[in-house]
Amino acid sequence: MLFKFYELEYKENNIKNAEYYNTNNILDSSKNYIFEIDSIPIGIYISDFLTDNKIILDDNFFKFLKKQITISQNRGDISGKIDIDKLQPCYKKYMENVNEFNDSGSRTLKNKNINYEFCNPIRSSIITKDKPLYVKNEKLYEKHLKNIIKKIHKQLKSSFQIPNEYDEGLYNGYYNQMIINHRLRSAAHFDKKNKFPYSSLICLSKNKDLKEHIISFVDYDVGIPMINNKSLLIFDSVNIRHSNNEMDEELLNDRFSIVLYCK
């Protein structure tokens, strides 16, 4: 497998966390890349990664993914600045009692009148080995995602240094959590709570009209073209701010993304 080295150069901008961002500087999707900052590797992109006889992305696969999705009101900057028109009715009624937001405006803050925080709703589920959603559907996770996760783990080990000893995560790999997102366009954010910098991302859709999903490195003005159902991106999501380019609404409605990470 051949890789092209790509040195990321910081580009000053006015984009704040939880704001949306588009870049026109899209990389060539036919090439594989190693991303560097000051000649230190911080990510890799493999254009055609999910092509494997053991990986089957059929109708049953996408039906399975869809059934795993719940509504989350706690994802922070990735969900964008609080927009009352996006909130579910049960949350809209609390907005008159909200006095403060976090620095980016993506999360409400507690006060004497409301004792919890919330964000814009997004369709996503956090999956771990002990979560009820996984436990209830363990055989289906093994059928549909085990081969994908094991192949990603193998690539992670060959690309970046991981501890020699670790508590085994999903399918005996290093990653112990994953998020399945649906219909999500990510606003600018860091994954600051991850304990390991390198997250792995794939983008999926059964809609054949969706050719690419663009993941942008906001502060470097570069877009990574995730070929639908094929590409893999592993990168330092803790220190590299990232988001999604705008996408046609009908195509977005069919879009899934899966992110593997360690907490």
Side-chain angles (χ1 to χ4, degrees):
M1 189 182 299
L2 297 176
F3 286 88
K4 180 178 180 180
F5 287 90
Y6 189 97
E7 180 74 19
L8 296 174
E9 297 181 3
Y10 180 79
K11 305 282 177 45
E12 189 170 349
N13 61 65
N14 296 318
I15 304 298
K16 298 178 181 178
N17 287 346
E19 292 183 345
Y20 291 97
Y21 175 80
N22 282 296
T23 181
N24 294 317
N25 182 28
I26 312 298
L27 298 180
D28 183 346
S29 63
S30 68
K31 293 182 172 62
N32 303 315
Y33 293 91
I34 295 175
F35 299 108
E36 296 183 323
I37 295 178
D38 295 331
S39 298
I40 298 173
I42 58 85
I44 65 164
Y45 165 80
I46 301 176
S47 172
D48 191 359
F49 180 80
L50 293 176
T51 304
D52 188 314
N53 291 333
K54 294 181 180 180
I55 296 174
I56 301 173
L57 307 179
D58 57 8
D59 284 346
N60 288 329
F61 173 83
F62 287 103
K63 287 178 182 177
F64 161 75
L65 287 186
K66 195 169 185 179
K67 287 181 179 179
Q68 306 316 300
I69 298 300
T70 58
I71 302 297
S72 173
Q73 300 268 176
N74 194 37
R75 292 289 303 279
D77 289 349
I78 193 173
S79 61
K81 292 186 176 182
I82 289 279
D83 181 345
I84 193 169
D85 292 330
K86 292 181 179 179
L87 297 177
Q88 295 177 303
C90 58
Y91 286 90
K92 285 182 180 180
K93 65 182 181 181
Y94 294 117
M95 283 300 290
E96 62 184 31
N97 294 319
V98 172
N99 300 320
E100 293 181 285
F101 300 87
N102 64 351
D103 290 342
S104 65
S106 67
R107 185 189 300 276
T108 64
L109 298 180
K110 298 177 184 178
N111 60 52
K112 64 180 181 179
N113 296 314
I114 184 167
N115 63 357
Y116 54 88
E117 303 173 349
F118 57 88
C119 309
N120 289 328
I122 60 175
R123 296 171 57 83
S124 72
S125 291
I126 297 174
I127 308 298
T128 65
K129 291 192 295 185
D130 57 356
K131 292 260 187 184
L133 196 59
Y134 177 84
V135 174
K136 180 181 177 181
N137 300 286
E138 186 172 357
K139 289 184 178 179
L140 288 173
Y141 275 90
E142 182 168 345
K143 175 182 177 181
H144 293 297
L145 290 175
K146 179 180 178 179
N147 290 326
I148 293 174
I149 292 171
K150 288 182 78 68
K151 186 173 184 181
I152 290 173
H153 173 74
K154 184 178 180 180
Q155 185 63 53
L156 174 70
K157 284 181 63 178
S158 69
S159 302
F160 297 99
Q161 185 173 357
I162 64 174
N164 291 327
E165 296 183 4
Y166 55 86
D167 294 332
E168 290 185 345
L170 297 165
Y171 303 112
N172 308 119
Y174 185 64
Y175 290 127
N176 59 18
Q177 293 194 22
M178 69 177 161
I179 290 180
I180 304 174
N181 299 310
H182 186 215
R183 302 178 183 174
L184 172 64
R185 181 194 175 194
S186 300
H189 68 286
F190 298 97
D191 296 335
K192 287 294 187 184
K193 294 183 178 180
N194 292 3
K195 76 172 188 180
F196 179 69
Y198 300 103
S199 298
S200 293
L201 169 70
I202 57 174
C203 298
L204 308 156
S205 177
K206 67 177 182 179
N207 190 333
K208 294 181 181 179
D209 291 330
L210 205 175
K211 306 301 183 185
E212 294 180 342
H213 320 236
I214 306 301
I215 310 297
S216 58
F217 291 169
V218 176
D219 299 306
Y220 302 91
D221 189 36
V222 62
I224 293 87
M226 303 295 292
I227 300 175
N228 188 42
N229 299 338
K230 288 189 175 183
S231 300
L232 171 69
L233 176 65
I234 304 177
F235 73 107
D236 181 353
S237 66
V238 173
N239 297 298
I240 302 293
R241 200 159 56 132
H242 50 288
S243 67
N244 291 127
N245 267 19
E246 189 174 10
M247 181 183 292
D248 178 271
E249 197 68 27
E250 289 188 11
L251 297 179
L252 182 62
N253 284 342
D254 291 323
R255 177 185 186 271
F256 292 90
S257 62
I258 297 178
V259 183
L260 292 158
Y261 58 99
C262 198
K263 280 196 174 179

